[in-house]
Structures are given as C-alpha cells and as structure tokens.
Amino acid sequence: MSEQGALFDPPSELPPQAGRHSAAIERSVKAAAEGDALLDLDAALVSVARAGMYALDCAERMPKPAYPLAQTITPVRETIEALFGTPQSRAAGAEEELKQLMEEMNNATDASAEVRNTEESGA
C-alpha cells in the first residue's frame, strides 16, 4: 500500500446502522488502495462514497425505503464510477495496454527491442 493508504483506511468504528453497502464500499476502497489505484485527490470522493453507501444502508431499514433508495442510488453509483470506473471501462483500459504492448512487440527488431519491467507498469 502506498503512503496515502491512511487516507483510505476504514473508519475505526462503523456507525451502528452500517450494513452490506458500507461493507461493500470498504472492500472496494481497500482493494483500490492496495492496488495503488487511489490518489490523495480521491479522499473526498471516498468520503462521499462511504456516506452514500451508509445512506443506502439506513434507507433499507426504513419502513418505506423506495423513495430514499431511488433518490440515493444514482448519485452513489456515479460517485463509485468516478472512483473505480466500471467493469467495462477497466477492461477497456487493460485491452488498450495489451494492444499497445502487442504493437510494440510486432514493431520491435532485435536491436531495438525494449525490455519492459512489468512491476513499473502495474501489470
């Protein structure tokens, strides 16, 4: 984990109404932080995502949760997409990197072949 890892550590104690949504965002934030996919700049978005997921947990416990859930889901989803992307956008990024590597390999000659360090590229 990077130096900014402390910015993305879960709260020392989750609020009493925290549930499955709060737990899910904590798993996602932890995975992204461990993969160095979060920057210091992302701390505010992480906070908003945590608040939104907590709001979803609280809304589910209401006697009539439909309206608060409907009002909360879209902005929370947009925040999560801003932080982590979507499965499709992450796959597209990986495909683009693979395509670039294949083009480099196809265009390389013995004298100009470049050795890439996969640890530096995040692969």
Side-chain angles (χ1 to χ4, degrees):
M1 192 179 306
S2 66
E3 293 176 10
Q4 75 254 8
L7 289 174
F8 307 109
D9 289 341
S12 58
E13 186 174 308
L14 290 175
Q17 295 293 318
R20 66 189 180 108
H21 301 294
S22 295
I25 196 64
E26 294 309 325
R27 287 190 305 273
S28 295
V29 169
K30 179 181 178 187
E34 287 175 353
D36 290 329
L38 292 174
L39 304 172
D40 292 348
L41 297 171
D42 297 324
L45 273 176
V46 168
S47 180
V48 170
R50 284 178 170 149
M53 296 300 255
Y54 178 71
L56 288 173
D57 288 336
C58 292
E60 283 187 337
R61 289 180 174 84
M62 293 180 168
K64 295 182 179 182
Y67 183 75
L69 286 172
Q71 294 300 306
T72 308
I73 287 175
T74 297
V76 169
R77 180 188 48 79
E78 290 170 352
T79 301
I80 291 169
E81 286 178 0
L83 275 170
F84 309 121
T86 63
Q88 294 82 8
S89 67
R90 290 189 303 270
E95 287 176 16
E96 184 59 35
E97 186 174 327
L98 181 58
K99 181 180 173 183
Q100 182 181 11
L101 179 60
M102 294 298 288
E103 287 176 10
E104 289 174 11
M105 290 172 57
N106 284 334
N107 296 330
T109 64
D110 288 338
S112 67
E114 178 182 339
V115 176
R116 293 181 59 176
N117 183 344
T118 57
E119 291 178 8
E120 290 178 9
S121 69

